[in-house]
């Protein structure tokens, strides 16, 4: 049956089995009552290197001031990745630097130090508070420490106690950085038979 040239004024109430393939000549001018299901744009998660770099930068490490060996270990070798805040990366960096500078591989005990899977709060002789911040570094027995303390210790802003026994053999002239006195939470400092640079040295 041939189609008529005059459109019907009684449109069918049933949907057509063969929808029109031609666009409407009278598009809707009103907004749809149903929102478009356009997927939201999810920000890209920062890479491990970006997170560590941002954390160190926010805590005074600029440009190449971070130890490249420690930085590379944390970003390329270390696999622990349960940081509750960026500051966790700073503490992990500082403790790794302490281990390296005090000849950690030759300590008599170094349980879990530089473990790639263990939280640094569980490294031997490290104590953290309930929020997961390092509060105590204590080597109260001869453990074979040898070297000098890194300036990075001053980044442990929650530290309340630093104790190193006199039996540990550190290099002649080994010092504690004077800036450690700026740690407002530090209540106890016991480092015997060392040349201390705490109060009078710049």
């Amino acid at each position: 049956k041939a189609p008529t040239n005059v459109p019907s004024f009684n449109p069918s109430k049933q949907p057509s089995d063969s929808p029109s393939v031609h666009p409407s000549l009278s598009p809707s001018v009103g907004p749809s009552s149903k929102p478009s299901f356009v997927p939201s744009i999810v920000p890209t998660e920062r890479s491990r290197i970006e997170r560590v770099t941002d954390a160190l930068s926010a805590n005074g490490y600029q440009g190449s001031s971070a130890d490249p060996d420690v930085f590379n270990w944390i970003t390329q070798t270390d696999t622990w990745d349960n940081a509750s805040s960026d500051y966790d990366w700073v503490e992990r960096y500082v403790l790794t630097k302490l281990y390296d500078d005090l000849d950690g591989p030759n300590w008599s005990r170094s349980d879990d130090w530089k473990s790639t899977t263990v939280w640094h709060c569980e490294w031997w002789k490290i104590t953290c508070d309930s929020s997961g911040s390092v509060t105590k570094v204590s080597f109260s027995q001869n453990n074979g420490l040898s070297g000098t303390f890194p300036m990075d210790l001053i980044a442990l802003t929650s530290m309340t106690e630093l104790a190193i026994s006199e039996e540990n053999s550190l290099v002649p002239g080994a010092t504690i950085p004077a800036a450690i006195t700026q740690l407002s939470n530090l209540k106890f400092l016991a480092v015997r038979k060392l040349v201390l640079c705490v109060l009078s040295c710049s």
Side-chain angles (χ1 to χ4, degrees):
K1 188 177 181 178
T4 178
N5 292 326
V6 180
S8 170
F9 290 98
N10 295 306
S12 171
K13 294 181 180 180
Q14 300 298 321
S16 170
D17 292 331
S18 301
S20 171
V21 295
H22 298 289
S24 169
L25 297 178
S26 301
S28 171
V29 295
S32 170
S33 60
K34 295 183 180 180
S36 171
F37 292 96
V38 178
S40 62
I41 299 176
V42 179
T44 303
E45 183 179 351
R46 291 180 300 164
S47 69
R48 186 185 187 90
I49 289 179
E50 289 173 328
R51 284 179 288 157
V52 175
T53 300
D54 290 347
L56 293 177
S57 296
N59 284 271
Y61 294 90
Q62 301 298 330
S64 60
S65 61
D67 185 308
D69 291 334
V70 177
F71 182 83
N72 288 339
W73 181 82
I74 290 179
T75 57
Q76 299 178 27
T77 303
D78 190 19
T79 58
W80 178 84
D81 196 8
N82 196 29
S84 59
S85 70
D86 279 358
Y87 185 63
D88 283 350
W89 296 114
V90 177
E91 293 188 322
R92 198 167 181 85
Y93 171 91
V94 172
L95 293 177
T96 300
K97 173 73 171 168
L98 179 69
Y99 177 85
D100 287 354
D101 284 7
L102 295 183
D103 196 26
N106 290 313
W107 291 355
S108 57
R109 283 194 65 178
S110 58
D111 306 14
D112 293 323
W113 278 76
K114 285 190 77 172
S115 166
T116 60
T117 58
V118 177
W119 183 28
H120 50 269
C121 284
E122 296 174 351
W123 293 358
W124 187 65
K125 292 297 184 178
I126 298 300
T127 302
C128 294
D129 60 19
S130 58
S131 67
S133 296
V134 175
T135 57
K136 183 177 178 180
V137 179
S138 176
F139 295 100
S140 57
Q141 64 189 61
N142 180 16
N143 200 51
L145 277 65
S146 177
T148 193
F149 291 91
M151 179 65 74
D152 307 77
L153 280 174
I154 63 174
L156 298 179
T157 55
S158 296
M159 185 164 62
T160 61
E161 178 177 332
L162 173 63
I164 310 293
S165 74
E166 61 185 274
E167 292 85 5
N168 285 291
S169 172
L170 294 148
V171 297
T175 65
I176 297 294
I180 201 171
T181 58
Q182 298 173 12
L183 295 177
S184 59
N185 292 311
L186 188 66
K187 307 300 182 187
F188 183 78
L189 175 64
V191 186
R192 299 171 183 156
K193 291 190 177 179
L194 296 177
V195 178
L196 302 183
C197 187
V198 176
L199 298 177
S200 60
C201 305
S202 59

